[in-house]
Amino acid sequence: MEDVSDPPFRALCKEQGADVVYTEFISSEGLIRDAAKSVIKLDIYEKERPVGIQIFGAELDSMLQAVDIVEKSNPDIIDINFGCPVKKVVCKNAGAGILRDIPLMVKLTEAMVKRTKLPVTVKTRLGWDTNSIKIVEVAERLQDVGIKAISIHGRTRVQMYKGEADWKPIAAVKNNPRMHIPVFGNGDVDTPEAAVRMRDDFGLDGAMIGRASIGNPWFFKQVKHYFKTARHLAPPTMEERVEAARRHLQMAIDWKGEKLGVFETRRHYTNYFKGIPHFKEYRMKMVTSDDAADVFAAFDEVLEKFGDFQFA
Ligand SMILES: Cc1cc2nc3c(=O)[nH]c(=O)nc-3n(C[C@H](O)[C@H](O)[C@H](O)COP(=O)(O)O)c2cc1C
């Protein structure tokens, strides 16, 4: 997830049970122009493997050059983003924009698969709009040109993030007798029960989890515990939350320096400490100072003040 799944966040998710993690999407055009904003996203830690690097674009040449650049970072997987609904991406036919030109989608994918020895996977949506959902056919064609797995978000581009994700067309992809690669479902897996439904009622091979993990890297462990026991794992204690926030901030600082590390970790705190009454004063301390020492001191204060708080 853009601006979310950087190496520190992915490392925390991995520690808490995620089986595979992916980078933020990276512009192929940015990579071939050596744009710092794109290049920094190639960084991966050994401890987060298996990890996929995700790229987007719609120009064949740029995508192939991007594959060569990505390979040098030695990820376990190269993932193609054919699902981003944002206007500035789709207007260039990239992301979900390519769902209006399936032959181009297949051609790009085939060329990228041929370019690399790494497994290539695709993340996409059901279709451009509800009148053009051909995901069963699209998935089969992508499989036939060599992708090793497909993740499908159960919404169309036109839907953006509105309404509910529809998992039925994803199950139709899985039930196509010609499909043999893993089919992962995505969209609205926000409880362990939803993950169980995706597995048992829809028969999918895995769940891709997005928003439910923001500020909640424990979600993966919670889902796995529920798979095993049909019981909910107790929510993380205050101590565990403070520890995660601390480690997140420290890894971010080590990775991109104090200024950026402090700034970019701020968006995670609200969720780490969600549900604590009268928390605003402490949250403000965490998100207003540019000085890491102040933020670490705020964490200590929170632990001292709310250490016994019982999370629901
Ligand atoms: C802040 C944010 C950034 C995202 N960035 C990406 C991205 O870079 N690549 C991608 O494949 N999907 C991205 N997505 C989409 C998610 O991967 C996922 O498809 C979508 O949120 C639905 O799944 P969820 O209900 O589990 O969140 C992003 C979503 C959010 C909320």
Side-chain angles (χ1 to χ4, degrees):
M1 285 180 284
E2 189 181 23
D3 292 335
V4 178
S5 50
D6 59 6
F9 178 70
R10 298 195 305 263
L12 288 173
C13 291
K14 166 85 190 189
E15 281 172 21
Q16 299 298 336
D19 291 309
V20 187
V21 291
Y22 284 87
T23 63
E24 304 166 72
F25 75 161
I26 312 179
S27 160
S28 55
E29 303 295 337
L31 281 181
I32 65 174
R33 285 172 185 72
D34 206 25
K37 187 171 166 254
S38 302
V39 174
I40 193 177
K41 293 182 183 168
L42 292 171
D43 287 357
I44 51 186
Y45 298 137
E46 279 306 306
K47 62 183 168 191
E48 60 179 299
R49 289 185 188 280
V51 55
I53 292 184
Q54 189 188 65
I55 52 179
F56 71 97
E59 295 293 330
L60 179 61
D61 257 9
S62 311
M63 287 297 256
L64 292 179
Q65 285 183 57
V67 166
D68 298 344
I69 296 168
V70 165
E71 264 194 339
K72 291 191 189 115
S73 294
N74 193 26
D76 301 285
I77 297 166
I78 295 182
D79 189 53
I80 316 174
N81 182 312
F82 288 143
C84 177
V86 173
K87 214 183 226 162
K88 69 173 197 267
V89 172
V90 300
C91 73
K92 294 186 181 134
N93 285 332
I98 210 156
L99 289 164
R100 291 170 300 187
D101 188 348
I102 305 300
L104 177 63
M105 184 185 195
V106 175
K107 183 176 129 187
L108 282 181
T109 306
E110 181 170 23
M112 292 168 74
V113 168
K114 284 191 175 140
R115 185 77 159 210
T116 177
K117 290 201 174 56
L118 290 171
V120 174
T121 59
V122 161
K123 161 99 184 302
T124 190
R125 288 185 173 231
L126 298 180
W128 176 259
D129 59 19
T130 37
N131 299 320
S132 62
I133 295 180
K134 297 191 202 88
I135 191 63
V136 172
E137 177 200 326
V138 169
E140 190 178 317
R141 289 178 69 183
L142 294 172
Q143 169 185 270
D144 290 350
V145 297
I147 65 164
K148 294 290 189 280
I150 186 164
S151 301
I152 304 166
H153 179 182
R155 289 186 175 85
T156 63
R157 187 284 163 172
V158 167
Q159 272 179 294
M160 306 292 286
Y161 286 90
K162 290 193 288 284
E164 266 177 36
D166 184 0
W167 299 345
K168 288 192 292 298
I170 314 176
V173 170
K174 176 68 194 168
N175 291 333
N176 172 1
R178 283 212 64 245
M179 276 318 265
H180 53 79
I181 59 171
V183 178
F184 302 135
N186 170 242
D188 302 346
V189 178
D190 52 6
T191 56
E193 287 87 340
V196 167
R197 276 201 307 281
M198 192 170 255
R199 183 188 67 177
D200 296 346
D201 300 349
F202 290 80
L204 300 179
D205 298 301
M208 290 285 257
I209 290 160
R211 289 167 294 181
S213 68
I214 301 179
N216 184 17
W218 301 278
F219 188 66
F220 302 96
K221 187 165 77 176
Q222 290 165 352
V223 167
K224 285 183 164 175
H225 181 83
Y226 194 81
F227 275 177
K228 270 201 209 122
T229 64
R231 286 165 175 262
H232 285 272
L233 197 62
T237 62
M238 181 58 100
E239 215 169 333
E240 287 170 304
R241 287 165 199 260
V242 168
E243 184 55 20
R246 258 195 211 121
R247 292 200 44 240
H248 197 155
L249 177 58
Q250 190 59 56
M251 282 192 279
I253 291 170
D254 295 343
W255 178 53
K256 46 192 159 186
E258 178 164 347
K259 191 162 181 260
L260 263 184
V262 167
F263 180 72
E264 292 190 357
T265 314
R266 282 179 187 162
R267 63 177 68 99
H268 294 271
Y269 303 141
T270 303
N271 282 345
Y272 281 152
F273 300 111
K274 208 178 193 158
I276 306 172
H278 313 297
F279 194 69
K280 192 167 171 206
E281 174 195 339
Y282 298 90
R283 196 175 66 81
M284 291 312 281
K285 285 186 186 175
M286 292 175 192
V287 301
T288 49
S289 175
D290 294 332
D291 191 335
D294 292 341
V295 186
F296 284 119
F299 294 155
D300 291 340
E301 217 181 320
V302 164
L303 190 56
E304 174 131 357
K305 170 104 181 144
F306 300 102
D308 297 331
F309 183 77
Q310 296 292 316
F311 287 89

